[in-house]
Amino acid sequence: MNAAETRPNLHQRRLALQYEVVRILAESSGMRRATQAVFKAICEHEGFVAASLWRVSDDAAFLQYVDFWTEDHPALVTFVAESLTLRLAPRTRLAGRAWATRHPVSITDIREVPDLPPPALKAGLRSGLVLPVTVQGEVKGVMGFWSFAPREETRESLEMFHALGCQLGQYIERNIQSAKVSRLSRLHAVLTAINRAITRATSRQQFLDDICRIAVDDGKFGAVWIGEYDSATMNVKPVACAGEDAQAMVGTDIAPTNPDLPRGQSLIGRAVRTRESAYTNNLAAEPSTGGPRRLEALRRGYHSCLAMPLIERDAVTGTLSLFAKDADFFTADEVAVFKEVSKHVSMALENLPPGMMQAHTAGRDALTGAATLPLLAELMRQASAHASRDEQLVAIAVLKLENFAALYDGLTRQAVDALLKAVAARIHGCIRKTDTLARLSANEFALLLPLRSDAAMVSHVMHRLQSTVFDLRTVQALLQGVLDEVQRPLALGGATLQIVCGMGVSVYPRDGDELDKLLQSASLAATAAQVSGEDRFRFYHPEMEAQAGRSPA
C-alpha cells in the first residue's frame, strides 16, 4: 500500500476492487475458480503475496485449510504445504480469533504473535490480515492474507475487507447448497445404476467391476476400488477398481485391518471392525489413513475418502472405497445414501453364488413372474414401432421401493420373497392387459404403458398403482400384519415397518427413443419425487438433469 496515495484515490481503487470481486463471482463457473480469482485480485490490488481459505468444520469444532493462492515464490510453496495439515480451534491464532470474534484481525508484525503457526515464520512473512466469511451473521469460514512487508490496516480498509468476506460467504453458501443437491442426485443415480447392474451381471467379477465403473461415471468420483476381506489374515486385497489412473493408485498392496498395527487404524480398518462406513474429508490431516495408497491419493489431488463394509450372511467379506478431489465432500446425507449402496451390493453378493451371478436367461423373473429387462427391451421395441406408426405414445414408469434395504435387514428371506411377490401381483391386478410389468432390480419395477397422448390417463394409472402397492393386506399371514394404506404401519415380529414407494414416468418419444434413456429419465423423476417428499410420483422433465448435475442426452 502506497503511503503517499491520496484518500480519494485510495477510495476509488478500493471501490474498483469491490466491483471486480462482484464481477468475478458473477462470471465464475465453479467455486474454486472463483475463490482463486478473488484471492488473486485482492492480493494484487492490496500488495499481499499469499491468501488462504479456512472452512468451519461441520461440527463447528475447528477450522481446516481448504484453498490458497500465492505469488510464485519458493518460500510460499513450503508455507502452503505445511499449512494443509493445520486445524485451529476457536480463538486459536489469528484465524481462530477472527472466527470467534466475527471481526477482521490484523497484525503489523506477525513475529509478535505468540501462537503464530511456524509455517508463516519459516516463510519470512511479516504481516497478516484475517477476516471471517459470513452468511446471515454466521461464520462459515475465514480468509487470510499475508505480506512480506509490514502493513497497517485502517478502519476503512477493515470495513472493505469485511464487506468482501460477506460477499464471498454468500457466494460460497449458494454453491455449497447447489453442489449438495447435485451430489445427492448423482448418488441416487449411482444407486439406481447399481441395481440395474445386479440384473445384468454374468459373473461376480463383472459385477464388482461394474460397481466401480458406475461410481466413477455416474457418481463422478475420481477413483473407486473394492477389496476382498480375509478374516484369517485380517487383510483386504484389491480385486476391482476404476477411475483415472486408478490401477496405479490402488495397486495390489493389501490393507491391514489388525488394530494392533499402525495401518490397521485406517478407514478400511475402521470400516471392517465397526461394520459401519468410515470417512475423512481431509486426507492430508490423517497420516494413518491408507499408508502408501493414501500418499498416492494425495499426490493425485484427492482430499476426501469414504470406506464402506460389504457384509454377506452377517460377515464382512469386503470393502468399497471412494475418493473425491473436493474437500469436505462427504456429509451425513451423502454417507446415508452410500449406506444404502453398500446394503444393495451386499444383498446382491449374498444371494448369488461366489463364482457366478444368477443370470436371467428366461423372459420372466423367477420370483415375481414379471418380465426381465431383455424381454422388456423387446416389448418396448414392438410398442415404439406401433406408436411411431399410429402417432401414439408409450410411457415408461419406474417404481422404487425406497426403504427396501431397511426392510430386508429386519425380515427373513422367505418374508422378503413373499412381499415382493405380493407387490408384483398387486401391480398386475391394477394395470391393463396391454401393459407390461418388469422387474429391474431387487427393489425396482418398471411398467411399459402404451397410451394415447393423454398424460392424465397415465396419472390415473399411477395413482391406482400407488394405492395398490401400498395395499398389502393379502400378505398378512406371512408378514404378521400389513395394513392397506401407505401411512399405516406394518407390524412384523414386534417391529413397526412401512413401505415407501417413489415413482417416475418418462414418455416415448418425447423423453427418448431408447429404453435405457427412458428408464434413466423415469428413474431420475422417481428420485426427484423421493427428494421432494411431496408427490409420490413425477413426470420426467429435462430440468431434472440440470439438478442432477448432467446435461440431457
Side-chain angles (χ1 to χ4, degrees):
M1 181 166 52
N2 186 356
E5 187 172 16
T6 65
R7 189 180 185 89
N9 287 344
L10 180 62
H11 175 75
Q12 289 298 321
R13 186 168 60 82
R14 286 181 168 166
L15 189 61
L17 172 59
Q18 293 183 66
Y19 286 145
E20 175 68 5
V21 169
V22 170
R23 184 193 64 78
I24 291 171
L25 297 181
E27 296 178 358
S28 294
S29 57
M31 188 164 68
R32 190 166 196 277
R33 288 184 179 180
T35 55
Q36 288 282 304
V38 167
F39 285 165
K40 184 174 185 291
I42 292 175
C43 288
E44 291 179 348
H45 275 76
E46 294 296 309
F48 294 108
V49 296
S52 55
L53 177 64
W54 303 73
R55 185 179 182 275
V56 177
S57 63
D58 291 336
D59 58 1
F62 56 85
L63 288 171
Q64 59 189 57
Y65 202 78
V66 295
D67 206 356
F68 64 90
W69 179 89
T70 69
E71 287 187 352
D72 187 11
H73 193 288
L76 298 177
V77 175
T78 304
F79 167 66
V80 171
E82 294 185 359
S83 297
L84 286 173
T85 59
L86 292 176
R87 291 188 176 186
L88 303 181
R91 299 189 182 280
T92 302
R93 300 172 179 163
L94 295 181
R97 290 171 201 162
W99 175 21
T101 63
R102 300 171 182 263
H103 291 289
V105 177
S106 66
I107 186 73
T108 303
D109 190 343
I110 60 177
R111 294 174 299 181
E112 299 174 0
V113 180
D115 61 349
L116 187 76
L121 291 175
K122 289 171 62 176
L125 297 171
R126 287 291 304 275
S127 60
L129 168 67
V130 182
L131 56 144
V133 176
T134 60
V135 178
Q136 296 180 350
E138 182 180 356
V139 178
K140 296 292 185 178
V142 171
M143 289 192 296
F145 297 92
W146 312 94
S147 174
F148 285 130
R151 176 188 172 95
E152 187 171 346
E153 302 299 333
T154 64
R155 181 176 61 83
E156 290 82 0
S157 68
L158 291 177
E159 288 177 352
M160 179 198 68
F161 283 117
H162 180 69
L164 291 175
C166 291
Q167 283 180 318
L168 188 58
Q170 292 171 1
Y171 175 84
I172 291 174
E173 183 66 13
R174 288 196 302 270
N175 276 266
I176 288 174
Q177 294 304 319
S178 176
K180 181 179 179 181
V181 171
S182 178
R183 284 203 304 265
L184 285 174
S185 296
R186 291 202 307 268
L187 298 189
H188 280 291
V190 168
L191 184 57
T192 298
I194 286 177
N195 283 333
R196 303 271 167 74
I198 294 172
T199 67
R200 295 176 176 176
T202 57
S203 71
R204 186 181 181 92
Q205 185 61 50
Q206 179 196 336
F207 180 51
L208 298 179
D209 290 338
D210 283 347
I211 292 169
C212 295
R213 177 187 54 77
I214 288 167
V216 170
D217 292 347
D218 293 355
K220 307 304 179 186
F221 287 96
V224 179
W225 71 279
I226 293 176
E228 286 187 347
Y229 174 64
D230 185 340
S231 59
T233 63
M234 300 180 70
N235 293 329
V236 175
K237 178 183 177 181
V239 294
C241 66
E244 183 181 355
D245 206 21
Q247 187 63 57
M249 186 187 90
V250 175
T252 59
D253 184 46
I254 62 170
T257 66
N258 188 334
D260 296 330
L261 300 176
R263 285 181 59 193
Q265 303 301 321
S266 67
L267 296 180
I268 294 288
R270 281 180 260 168
V272 169
R273 290 194 301 274
T274 65
R275 301 163 64 94
E276 295 287 345
S277 299
Y279 69 96
T280 178
N281 283 318
N282 191 349
L283 274 172
E286 299 197 25
S288 66
T289 302
R293 195 170 289 115
R294 165 187 169 270
L295 297 178
E296 287 297 317
L298 286 172
R299 191 169 68 84
R300 288 168 169 79
Y302 294 109
H303 293 92
S304 301
C305 179
L306 169 68
M308 298 172 289
L310 301 177
I311 301 173
E312 301 176 52
R313 295 177 178 83
D314 203 38
V316 176
T317 59
T319 59
L320 171 60
S321 300
L322 307 106
F323 292 83
K325 291 191 175 181
D326 295 339
D328 297 312
F329 181 90
F330 295 107
T331 66
D333 291 333
E334 280 90 13
V335 173
V337 173
F338 267 102
K339 187 174 182 179
E340 293 297 303
V341 169
S342 65
K343 282 185 177 181
H344 282 240
V345 173
S346 297
M347 285 190 291
L349 295 173
E350 177 180 314
N351 293 314
L352 296 169
M356 295 294 291
M357 304 291 262
Q358 292 173 336
H360 290 263
T361 56
R364 295 287 171 181
D365 176 56
L367 177 64
T368 64
T372 61
L373 191 58
L375 178 56
L376 181 65
E378 173 58 25
L379 294 174
M380 179 63 200
R381 186 188 66 78
Q382 297 174 18
S384 60
H386 286 296
S388 297
R389 182 191 63 202
D390 301 333
E391 296 185 354
Q392 301 297 322
L393 304 175
V394 180
I396 291 293
V398 169
L399 181 148
K400 299 184 180 184
L401 306 182
E402 296 177 22
N403 60 338
F404 180 73
L407 292 173
Y408 185 95
D409 287 342
L411 300 177
T412 65
R413 175 66 181 275
Q414 292 77 12
V416 171
D417 287 350
L419 176 59
L420 290 171
K421 289 178 183 178
V423 169
R426 291 294 180 172
I427 296 174
H428 270 303
C430 76
I431 62 179
R432 305 161 301 178
K433 292 183 179 180
T434 54
D435 301 330
T436 299
L437 172 66
R439 187 181 179 197
L440 299 179
S441 67
N443 73 321
E444 283 186 316
F445 291 89
L447 279 166
L448 186 155
L449 305 162
L451 60 134
R452 292 187 293 273
S453 303
D454 185 355
M457 180 172 66
V458 180
S459 178
H460 173 68
V461 171
M462 295 309 295
H463 276 299
R464 290 170 58 208
L465 283 175
Q466 180 182 343
S467 61
T468 300
V469 170
F470 292 148
D471 181 4
L472 301 175
R473 289 172 292 181
T474 57
V475 295
Q476 286 180 358
L478 215 146
L479 300 180
Q480 303 177 17
V482 175
L483 302 179
D484 62 356
E485 299 292 340
V486 60
Q487 290 84 4
R488 296 183 182 179
L490 166 67
L492 180 65
T496 300
L497 305 175
Q498 180 175 310
I499 295 177
V500 180
C501 291
M503 290 172 278
V505 183
S506 62
V507 179
Y508 169 88
R510 184 193 67 187
D511 302 324
D513 296 328
E514 301 293 334
L515 179 61
D516 282 349
K517 172 58 179 172
L518 291 166
L519 287 172
Q520 181 187 69
S521 298
S523 180
L524 195 61
T527 298
Q530 293 173 239
V531 173
S532 73
E534 298 173 357
D535 300 331
R536 295 317 309 161
F537 85 92
R538 285 190 176 184
F539 284 93
Y540 167 79
H541 191 280
E543 288 181 357
M544 296 175 180
E545 301 280 357
Q547 294 169 357
R550 59 176 184 254
S551 300

